[in-house]
Amino acid sequence: MHEGAIAEGILTVALDHMNRNKGKVIGEVGLKLGELSGVEEYALRTAWQVVTRGTAAEKAVLVIDRVPLAGRCRSCDRERLIGKEIREAAGLMEPVYGPSLVPYSFICPVCGEPLEVVSGREMQVDYLDID
Ligand SMILES: [Zn+2]
């Protein structure tokens, strides 16, 4: 993933929105980032500081909401966090992001059917705080 291009894309969305609403300064940008979006948070924050320099978003805070990876079983129709049990067993309270250190299970533990991913791939602007 190219975090620089992603940061530029977010900035374009934010500035467009600001201009349409006749705003002057972007105070906050809320972002939904899926566990499997492939975006590295630190690299994105660094790129964000670079691309916003000298723009109306220069002081904007990037608020990143990480969306856990979840799947739905076609057989029992239940939604499950993929890999959550494995992470807990490994003693990891926080979800592991980025290149996974622990394996994900895409199989329903009850039915043995494949899980269809329903969330965790998001990469979208959730909200904007503009003055
Ligand atoms: Zn199932």
Side-chain angles (χ1 to χ4, degrees):
M1 272 289 186
H2 300 278
E3 278 78 5
I6 293 166
E8 274 175 24
I10 296 165
L11 179 62
T12 302
V13 168
L15 291 176
D16 280 356
H17 189 79
M18 183 194 74
N19 290 332
R20 273 203 307 274
N21 291 280
K22 310 219 185 308
K24 287 192 173 66
V25 176
I26 298 168
E28 200 170 293
V29 176
L31 202 63
K32 277 206 184 298
L33 215 53
E35 193 174 344
L36 266 204
S37 63
V39 179
E40 212 278 291
E41 189 173 329
Y42 179 77
L44 180 61
R45 288 189 183 281
T46 306
W48 176 250
Q49 286 183 344
V50 173
V51 301
T52 56
R53 205 164 288 160
T55 72
E58 186 162 17
K59 292 194 165 62
V61 179
L62 201 56
V63 178
I64 296 178
D65 178 20
R66 306 297 311 231
V67 183
L69 184 62
R72 178 178 292 279
C73 173
R74 274 169 244 183
S75 178
C76 66
D77 205 38
R78 282 193 60 181
E79 231 172 77
R80 300 175 183 285
L81 287 178
I82 295 171
K84 182 173 178 280
E85 287 139 46
I86 296 168
R87 285 194 298 264
E88 282 172 355
L92 299 163
M93 299 305 288
E94 291 295 312
V96 174
Y97 297 121
S100 58
L101 302 171
V102 288
Y104 291 105
S105 174
F106 288 89
I107 302 293
C108 176
V110 176
C111 315
E113 292 290 320
L115 297 174
E116 207 171 319
V117 174
V118 291
S119 74
R121 288 183 169 146
E122 300 81 351
M123 213 305 292
Q124 67 200 50
V125 175
D126 188 30
Y127 66 89
L128 294 164
D129 179 17
I130 292 166
D131 289 317

